Amino acid sequence: MVEEAAAPYRPVDLGRAVGLGPSQIRNYERLGFLPPAHRTAHGYRRFGEEHLDALRTARAMITGYGWQRACDALAAAHRGDATTALAVSDERHASLHAQREQVAQALDALRRTRGRITALAGLRVYRGRTVGIGEAAAAVGTTTSAVRYWESRGVITAQRVAGRRRYDYRLLQQLQLIKLLRDIRYGFDAIAVVVRDLDQSPGTKAVEALEERRARVEQASRAAAVATRALLDYLDRLGL
């Protein structure tokens, strides 16, 4: 317990400072966003400047890390565990880097294959009918084991009829595109993005969609950098 003069904020007062309600403040404390509240002789919560500092830091970090990551990092900081707090930051930046790489690979793959997709015209004889996995593999110049493996990696899903795989014209086009991308050594993450986006947004629209996604990743990366700066400054103030 501390003197109320040293901890002047009730939950409602602290909430007003940042636009939150008193119940949200109590939840923030319970989850570890805030250090434990001080208590009056009658058991009422009282908060000090250190809680206001933590709350402002939390608000900055939520924008860049997301709610759960920000909570995990600050709860660790309030336990005196700077290592875990920094690991949360590292994980967020690593995730954004992986997303950026995936989008970059997918864009490159789309641009490199755009002029070669005309090769898929040879599959037009399959319009209006479906074929089994053996004929599908032969049609695109691969093996049945490769087709099964691609499906296990989640880049294509065959239709099922009486438990057997069946491939229509659209799926055969996807198989041909997957083979083309595998031949030029693209990874399955990038292939999944290309196949999905070309299926949903043929031609240049797929490129535009990926460009928009890249812009969102860049925006998220900037926000994460701001959150990391807020976390590092806060750890310094805590002496961690």
Side-chain angles (χ1 to χ4, degrees), residues 164-209:
R164 294 180 178 275
R165 292 175 174 86
R166 301 295 295 179
Y167 299 85
D168 60 12
Y169 176 63
R170 181 181 64 85
L171 288 172
L172 288 169
Q173 286 183 307
Q174 291 182 4
L175 285 175
Q176 181 70 77
L177 181 57
I178 293 165
K179 182 180 184 300
L180 177 62
L181 292 171
R182 289 299 292 160
D183 286 347
I184 55 178
R185 301 186 182 280
Y186 274 89
F188 286 105
D189 287 344
I191 290 172
V193 173
V194 173
V195 171
R196 183 188 66 237
D197 284 1
L198 276 177
D199 191 43
Q200 296 174 352
S201 306
T204 59
K205 289 185 178 179
V207 174
E208 291 171 1

Side-chain angles (χ1 to χ4, degrees), residues 135-157:
E135 189 172 352
V140 301
T142 191
T143 63
T144 57
S145 60
V147 174
R148 290 190 181 95
Y149 182 61
W150 298 342
E151 185 169 347
S152 75
R153 295 302 300 265
V155 293
I156 191 167
T157 301

Side-chain angles (χ1 to χ4, degrees), residues 63-65 92-93 96 99-100 211-227:
T63 300
Y65 287 174
R92 177 56 174 160
H93 290 287
L96 288 168
Q99 291 177 48
R100 184 182 294 107
E211 290 285 8
E212 289 174 4
R213 191 176 306 166
R214 180 164 64 178
R216 290 195 298 271
V217 171
E218 292 299 327
Q219 184 178 17
S221 184
R222 289 176 179 272
V226 171

Side-chain angles (χ1 to χ4, degrees), residues 103-123:
V103 171
Q105 283 190 25
L107 273 168
D108 185 60
L110 271 176
R111 287 168 176 149
R112 289 180 65 176
T113 58
R114 188 188 301 172
R116 300 171 66 183
I117 288 175
T118 54
L120 306 186
L123 299 173

Side-chain angles (χ1 to χ4, degrees), residues 25-44:
I25 294 298
R26 288 190 286 269
N27 284 334
Y28 271 39
E29 181 200 2
R30 177 177 60 82
L31 294 168
F33 271 119
L34 303 178
H38 306 299
R39 296 282 181 165
T40 69
H42 298 290
Y44 295 113

